[in-house]
Amino acid sequence: MKITTNQLITRYRGVSELENYNAFTLTSPQPVIETARKLLSIIPPTMGACAPLSAALAQTLRDDFNIPAVVVAGDLKVRGSRVFKCKSNIPEGNQSGKVINKKWDGHCWVEIDGFIGDLSIFRTAYSLSHTSLLKQFIATEFGLGRGFFLAEKHDIPKGMIYEPKYVLNDNQIDGLLAGLSFQLTEQM
């Protein structure tokens, strides 16, 4: 039995968060698109940065537009093959300020009212120097030079499956944002 995003929201964020999420209707994707453009202009391209990019997108949408976006971690399948396999949730930090340096393999994206938003999929595909199923699929289905993937779940191209396994809580999102902030500060 496939687990749903609603079940994951309840498990990891609580019933009140699920109610807030389900009560929201995205009447226009414009705030999501504008936020994505802003973040992509600020954050340099990095392969495999789906978790911090998704955390930044969700938190900005929550803070600036009161949009109850959730960060989802899971598998990404392309043409029947798992491109990213998520075996565990993203590690959760504690309040000690200790840096967590654990390997995590999976994919993250944002979900809002039946939409999937993915800030990293194009950057990751375009940055691959070798031939890969992901790179070939993205080039064929979307072309080159794309920045942000946003689609209603029923409009995702055939052969591309986002399979949710976890929803991130506020501590996980805060940790990812702190790490992203540190990286951006170091690059200046």
Side-chain angles (χ1 to χ4, degrees):
M1 183 176 115
K2 277 177 103 172
I3 193 157
T4 67
T5 301
N6 280 352
Q7 290 169 316
L8 294 170
I9 293 169
T10 302
R11 181 180 299 162
Y12 295 103
R13 298 193 63 88
V15 173
S16 64
E17 186 82 19
L18 176 65
E19 290 169 353
N20 188 34
Y21 179 83
N22 284 331
F24 178 79
T25 301
L26 186 65
T27 56
S28 167
Q30 204 56 41
V32 182
I33 294 167
E34 289 173 18
T35 301
R37 282 186 182 140
K38 180 175 96 175
L39 292 171
L40 290 173
S41 73
I42 295 168
I43 303 167
T46 305
M47 183 176 154
C50 61
L53 284 170
S54 295
L57 178 60
Q59 194 61 51
T60 304
L61 291 171
R62 287 172 169 270
D63 292 347
D64 294 357
F65 300 99
N66 202 29
I67 294 175
V70 295
V71 180
V72 181
D75 296 348
L76 177 65
K77 294 180 183 176
V78 172
R79 294 194 174 125
S81 296
R82 286 188 204 282
V83 175
F84 297 104
K85 178 154 179 67
C86 186
K87 296 176 185 169
S88 63
N89 203 346
I90 289 181
E92 188 171 340
N94 55 32
Q95 301 301 326
S96 70
K98 180 181 172 187
V99 174
I100 297 174
N101 189 11
K102 292 184 179 179
K103 184 174 171 35
W104 177 81
D105 197 16
H107 191 59
C108 283
W109 60 91
V110 172
E111 292 196 21
I112 309 157
D113 188 32
F115 283 82
I116 288 184
D118 190 339
L119 273 174
S120 72
I121 196 66
F122 296 128
R123 284 181 166 192
T124 297
Y126 300 149
S127 70
L128 295 171
S129 59
H130 60 282
T131 304
S132 77
L133 179 61
L134 176 64
K135 185 175 185 174
Q136 189 272 330
F137 181 83
I138 293 296
T140 302
E141 291 292 323
F142 301 100
L144 300 175
R146 300 296 180 126
F148 175 53
F149 176 79
L150 180 67
E152 290 187 70
K153 287 182 182 181
H154 60 82
D155 285 336
I156 294 172
K158 185 176 169 101
M160 187 176 196
I161 299 172
Y162 285 83
E163 189 174 287
K165 290 188 171 180
Y166 306 95
V167 165
L168 275 58
N169 64 36
D170 288 338
N171 288 336
Q172 291 164 307
I173 291 170
D174 290 346
L176 289 166
L177 293 175
L180 180 60
S181 177
F182 176 77
Q183 287 176 338
L184 291 174
T185 302
E186 289 294 306
Q187 291 174 357
M188 292 180 165

